[in-house]
Amino acid sequence: MALERVNAVLGPPSSVRGDTLKVLLYEARGLALVASPTRGVILIRLVTREAGAVDGIRVGDPLSAARARWGAPTEMHDEFQLFDRGVWTVALSCTGTAVSTLSIFAPE
């Protein structure tokens, strides 16, 4: 999705960072997007429960709920656990045993 379309749907972001890849923060919505000039939006990160759900899992849910939904992570990197869903991947981070962020991205 092009940045123009993102702005039309979500309105202006509360902040934008980056040169080639743009990080758009929507604080009031509890989400952040990463956009590439060639691929459009390549990552959506939910940082609050109210931001929405990924396949029924929300920020604040127990890690056990994510594992019950998606099985064991296919990869683990530092605080992130990655779950390959075929055409998209979800990465989550945890605080204790609760999901603290959910990120959705499409592999290249």
Side-chain angles (χ1 to χ4, degrees):
M1 181 181 291
L3 288 179
E4 296 80 24
R5 178 82 174 120
V6 170
N7 286 331
V9 172
L10 297 176
S14 46
S15 69
V16 178
R17 290 177 281 165
D19 295 322
T20 303
L21 289 178
K22 301 287 185 196
V23 178
L24 296 87
L25 182 61
Y26 295 87
E27 287 185 68
R29 294 180 181 268
L31 66 101
L33 306 175
V34 176
S36 158
T38 57
R39 294 180 57 208
V41 174
I42 58 173
L43 182 137
I44 301 168
R45 175 171 281 171
L46 309 177
V47 297
T48 65
R49 185 166 189 79
E50 296 75 24
V54 177
D55 203 20
I57 304 299
R58 293 179 176 272
V59 169
D61 285 352
L63 174 59
S64 60
R67 293 232 176 136
R69 170 77 66 197
W70 300 316
T74 51
E75 293 182 49
M76 295 178 74
H77 298 281
D78 299 320
E79 77 272 15
F80 291 100
Q81 298 182 29
L82 279 66
F83 298 86
D84 183 353
R85 308 304 299 150
V87 296
W88 55 278
T89 299
V90 64
L92 61 81
S93 62
C94 295
T95 303
T97 60
V99 174
S100 56
T101 66
L102 285 163
S103 301
I104 311 154
F105 60 96
E108 287 188 53

